[in-house]
Amino acid sequence: MKNIRKFIVLLLVLITFTACGNSDNGNNEIPKVALLIGNRGDMSFNDSAVRGVEKAGKDFEVDVKVIEYGHETDKFETTFVDTAETGYDVIITGSSFVDYIENHSATYPNTTFIIFDGEVDYTNGKNKNVNSIIYSANEASYVGGYLSAKLSETGVIGFLGGQEAPIINDFLVGFIQGAKEANPNVKVAVSFVGNYNDSSKGKELSLAMHNQKADMIFNVAGGAGVGLIEAADESKFYVLGVDSDQAMIYDASGKLNFAKVIPTSVMKNVDESLYRAIDLYLKKELNIGGKDTLGLKENGVGIAENKYYEEMVSQELRDEVKALLGRITSGEIKVDTAYGKTTDEITTIRDSVRP
């Protein structure tokens, strides 16, 4: 009888232990992370974001899913809400979803939202479960503008943007400021595609700028910028890449003709910033309910240095670029920004270098 009682007591202890263990497992499930992007394959911004979260998925205890929502804007909000309803622990999106996050973040208090290249309104305790990541693209664009003006043989360079918005104009303002530092008489042709996916129009506008003598054009147009690179390959002019190290991406894919027209790229290190954000989230150190501004000093932006850069840019000019990066990082050079500027002020800056 005593043995039976001991057995029953032991069985109850085991049941209790198992129940507690199951409860702990429930609290320690692998976090689920969703990345919402338009489409893969833009060879810049979106692909960089994918690289960052997929690397985090390999390196950390985290379950990552990439969700492509396409370009049909009327479906953006539905995609966002459906993803939130699925119960992800973390949802990462770009600036196209700012309004949807602001409208719905409070409905999902147990979800952490990370928005990159944009920020939400934090006044009066709003968006307590949102982390915003802002990149000081103007800083790296200043260096890109300086380099472009130095490499130009015509004194005319170009800027191809996707849609005109503060985020894109921040590239433009820094680019123009840096170009004027290199050549006070520089001219900058500016065109906007109106979207980030029409590569045919991107090519058409790029060829038009090249006809205005632009011999190096800054690609800030996402997937539409593929048309710019095609035009540069065909018409033999240079491209300043954007967001990712575009020359090396094309090199790795075997498109060496495209790589060879890109001396360097102004990089938004989206991949590194999202990897960093997921790491901080797992450590419970993410700045949830606030924004992080990442510039040259924080390695949020930079200039690509690769074999094409070394082949196409002289050592003397590379030394100048290195010095510029240091002067901006130290605060010696103050780079202008589009944020806070009116449309008229941006227009005045553009007109000051119009061909």
PDB file of all heavy atoms in Angstrom, residues 271-283:
ATOM      1  N   ASP A 271      19.555  46.486 -44.232  1.00  0.00           N
ATOM      2  CA  ASP A 271      19.773  45.118 -43.749  1.00  0.00           C
ATOM      3  C   ASP A 271      20.366  45.107 -42.346  1.00  0.00           C
ATOM      4  O   ASP A 271      19.862  44.427 -41.444  1.00  0.00           O
ATOM      5  CB  ASP A 271      20.650  44.329 -44.723  1.00  0.00           C
ATOM      6  CG  ASP A 271      21.940  45.041 -45.117  1.00  0.00           C
ATOM      7  OD1 ASP A 271      22.130  46.222 -44.736  1.00  0.00           O
ATOM      8  OD2 ASP A 271      22.759  44.417 -45.822  1.00  0.00           O
ATOM      9  N   GLU A 272      21.406  45.906 -42.150  1.00  0.00           N
ATOM     10  CA  GLU A 272      22.058  45.938 -40.840  1.00  0.00           C
ATOM     11  C   GLU A 272      21.139  46.541 -39.776  1.00  0.00           C
ATOM     12  O   GLU A 272      21.142  46.109 -38.620  1.00  0.00           O
ATOM     13  CB  GLU A 272      23.368  46.718 -40.923  1.00  0.00           C
ATOM     14  CG  GLU A 272      24.426  46.033 -41.791  1.00  0.00           C
ATOM     15  CD  GLU A 272      25.747  46.758 -41.762  1.00  0.00           C
ATOM     16  OE1 GLU A 272      25.999  47.500 -40.784  1.00  0.00           O
ATOM     17  OE2 GLU A 272      26.541  46.584 -42.703  1.00  0.00           O
ATOM     18  N   SER A 273      20.350  47.548 -40.160  1.00  0.00           N
ATOM     19  CA  SER A 273      19.475  48.196 -39.179  1.00  0.00           C
ATOM     20  C   SER A 273      18.353  47.259 -38.719  1.00  0.00           C
ATOM     21  O   SER A 273      17.973  47.273 -37.544  1.00  0.00           O
ATOM     22  CB  SER A 273      18.877  49.481 -39.762  1.00  0.00           C
ATOM     23  OG  SER A 273      17.930  49.209 -40.769  1.00  0.00           O
ATOM     24  N   LEU A 274      17.817  46.442 -39.625  1.00  0.00           N
ATOM     25  CA  LEU A 274      16.751  45.512 -39.245  1.00  0.00           C
ATOM     26  C   LEU A 274      17.311  44.337 -38.451  1.00  0.00           C
ATOM     27  O   LEU A 274      16.672  43.844 -37.510  1.00  0.00           O
ATOM     28  CB  LEU A 274      15.993  45.032 -40.481  1.00  0.00           C
ATOM     29  CG  LEU A 274      15.255  46.124 -41.266  1.00  0.00           C
ATOM     30  CD1 LEU A 274      14.381  45.508 -42.352  1.00  0.00           C
ATOM     31  CD2 LEU A 274      14.421  47.009 -40.354  1.00  0.00           C
ATOM     32  N   TYR A 275      18.482  43.892 -38.831  1.00  0.00           N
ATOM     33  CA  TYR A 275      19.169  42.847 -38.052  1.00  0.00           C
ATOM     34  C   TYR A 275      19.392  43.359 -36.626  1.00  0.00           C
ATOM     35  O   TYR A 275      19.136  42.658 -35.645  1.00  0.00           O
ATOM     36  CB  TYR A 275      20.495  42.504 -38.723  1.00  0.00           C
ATOM     37  CG  TYR A 275      21.289  41.404 -38.060  1.00  0.00           C
ATOM     38  CD1 TYR A 275      21.133  40.073 -38.440  1.00  0.00           C
ATOM     39  CD2 TYR A 275      22.224  41.696 -37.059  1.00  0.00           C
ATOM     40  CE1 TYR A 275      21.881  39.058 -37.843  1.00  0.00           C
ATOM     41  CE2 TYR A 275      22.968  40.700 -36.458  1.00  0.00           C
ATOM     42  CZ  TYR A 275      22.800  39.377 -36.849  1.00  0.00           C
ATOM     43  OH  TYR A 275      23.533  38.390 -36.256  1.00  0.00           O
ATOM     44  N   ARG A 276      19.871  44.598 -36.523  1.00  0.00           N
ATOM     45  CA  ARG A 276      20.107  45.232 -35.222  1.00  0.00           C
ATOM     46  C   ARG A 276      18.810  45.338 -34.425  1.00  0.00           C
ATOM     47  O   ARG A 276      18.781  45.050 -33.214  1.00  0.00           O
ATOM     48  CB  ARG A 276      20.700  46.632 -35.449  1.00  0.00           C
ATOM     49  CG  ARG A 276      20.711  47.560 -34.231  1.00  0.00           C
ATOM     50  CD  ARG A 276      21.185  48.951 -34.634  1.00  0.00           C
ATOM     51  NE  ARG A 276      21.154  49.906 -33.535  1.00  0.00           N
ATOM     52  CZ  ARG A 276      20.093  50.616 -33.201  1.00  0.00           C
ATOM     53  NH1 ARG A 276      18.961  50.478 -33.894  1.00  0.00           N
ATOM     54  NH2 ARG A 276      20.151  51.466 -32.186  1.00  0.00           N
ATOM     55  N   ALA A 277      17.724  45.743 -35.097  1.00  0.00           N
ATOM     56  CA  ALA A 277      16.447  45.926 -34.405  1.00  0.00           C
ATOM     57  C   ALA A 277      15.921  44.601 -33.836  1.00  0.00           C
ATOM     58  O   ALA A 277      15.424  44.552 -32.699  1.00  0.00           O
ATOM     59  CB  ALA A 277      15.420  46.540 -35.353  1.00  0.00           C
ATOM     60  N   ILE A 278      16.028  43.534 -34.618  1.00  0.00           N
ATOM     61  CA  ILE A 278      15.557  42.226 -34.141  1.00  0.00           C
ATOM     62  C   ILE A 278      16.419  41.751 -32.974  1.00  0.00           C
ATOM     63  O   ILE A 278      15.904  41.221 -31.977  1.00  0.00           O
ATOM     64  CB  ILE A 278      15.566  41.205 -35.291  1.00  0.00           C
ATOM     65  CG1 ILE A 278      14.519  41.598 -36.344  1.00  0.00           C
ATOM     66  CG2 ILE A 278      15.279  39.796 -34.771  1.00  0.00           C
ATOM     67  CD1 ILE A 278      14.565  40.780 -37.623  1.00  0.00           C
ATOM     68  N   ASP A 279      17.711  41.973 -33.084  1.00  0.00           N
ATOM     69  CA  ASP A 279      18.619  41.609 -31.992  1.00  0.00           C
ATOM     70  C   ASP A 279      18.240  42.351 -30.712  1.00  0.00           C
ATOM     71  O   ASP A 279      18.146  41.764 -29.627  1.00  0.00           O
ATOM     72  CB  ASP A 279      20.055  41.935 -32.407  1.00  0.00           C
ATOM     73  CG  ASP A 279      21.090  41.498 -31.378  1.00  0.00           C
ATOM     74  OD1 ASP A 279      20.818  40.541 -30.617  1.00  0.00           O
ATOM     75  OD2 ASP A 279      22.172  42.103 -31.329  1.00  0.00           O
ATOM     76  N   LEU A 280      18.011  43.663 -30.825  1.00  0.00           N
ATOM     77  CA  LEU A 280      17.640  44.463 -29.650  1.00  0.00           C
ATOM     78  C   LEU A 280      16.282  44.035 -29.097  1.00  0.00           C
ATOM     79  O   LEU A 280      16.083  44.025 -27.872  1.00  0.00           O
ATOM     80  CB  LEU A 280      17.616  45.946 -30.021  1.00  0.00           C
ATOM     81  CG  LEU A 280      18.978  46.595 -30.313  1.00  0.00           C
ATOM     82  CD1 LEU A 280      18.790  48.022 -30.801  1.00  0.00           C
ATOM     83  CD2 LEU A 280      19.871  46.564 -29.083  1.00  0.00           C
ATOM     84  N   TYR A 281      15.367  43.691 -29.975  1.00  0.00           N
ATOM     85  CA  TYR A 281      14.059  43.220 -29.523  1.00  0.00           C
ATOM     86  C   TYR A 281      14.207  41.961 -28.669  1.00  0.00           C
ATOM     87  O   TYR A 281      13.604  41.845 -27.594  1.00  0.00           O
ATOM     88  CB  TYR A 281      13.153  42.940 -30.722  1.00  0.00           C
ATOM     89  CG  TYR A 281      11.861  42.231 -30.348  1.00  0.00           C
ATOM     90  CD1 TYR A 281      10.775  42.943 -29.865  1.00  0.00           C
ATOM     91  CD2 TYR A 281      11.746  40.840 -30.469  1.00  0.00           C
ATOM     92  CE1 TYR A 281       9.597  42.297 -29.503  1.00  0.00           C
ATOM     93  CE2 TYR A 281      10.585  40.191 -30.111  1.00  0.00           C
ATOM     94  CZ  TYR A 281       9.498  40.921 -29.627  1.00  0.00           C
ATOM     95  OH  TYR A 281       8.359  40.271 -29.256  1.00  0.00           O
ATOM     96  N   LEU A 282      15.004  41.031 -29.148  1.00  0.00           N
ATOM     97  CA  LEU A 282      15.196  39.774 -28.417  1.00  0.00           C
ATOM     98  C   LEU A 282      15.889  40.007 -27.076  1.00  0.00           C
ATOM     99  O   LEU A 282      15.644  39.280 -26.108  1.00  0.00           O
ATOM    100  CB  LEU A 282      16.011  38.801 -29.271  1.00  0.00           C
ATOM    101  CG  LEU A 282      15.329  38.324 -30.562  1.00  0.00           C
ATOM    102  CD1 LEU A 282      16.294  37.512 -31.400  1.00  0.00           C
ATOM    103  CD2 LEU A 282      14.084  37.515 -30.250  1.00  0.00           C
ATOM    104  N   LYS A 283      16.728  41.051 -27.021  1.00  0.00           N
ATOM    105  CA  LYS A 283      17.422  41.384 -25.771  1.00  0.00           C
ATOM    106  C   LYS A 283      16.571  42.281 -24.873  1.00  0.00           C
ATOM    107  O   LYS A 283      17.022  42.673 -23.798  1.00  0.00           O
ATOM    108  CB  LYS A 283      18.734  42.106 -26.085  1.00  0.00           C
ATOM    109  CG  LYS A 283      19.776  41.247 -26.784  1.00  0.00           C
ATOM    110  CD  LYS A 283      20.994  42.095 -27.143  1.00  0.00           C
ATOM    111  CE  LYS A 283      22.075  41.277 -27.821  1.00  0.00           C
ATOM    112  NZ  LYS A 283      23.206  42.134 -28.272  1.00  0.00           N
TER     113      LYS A 283
END
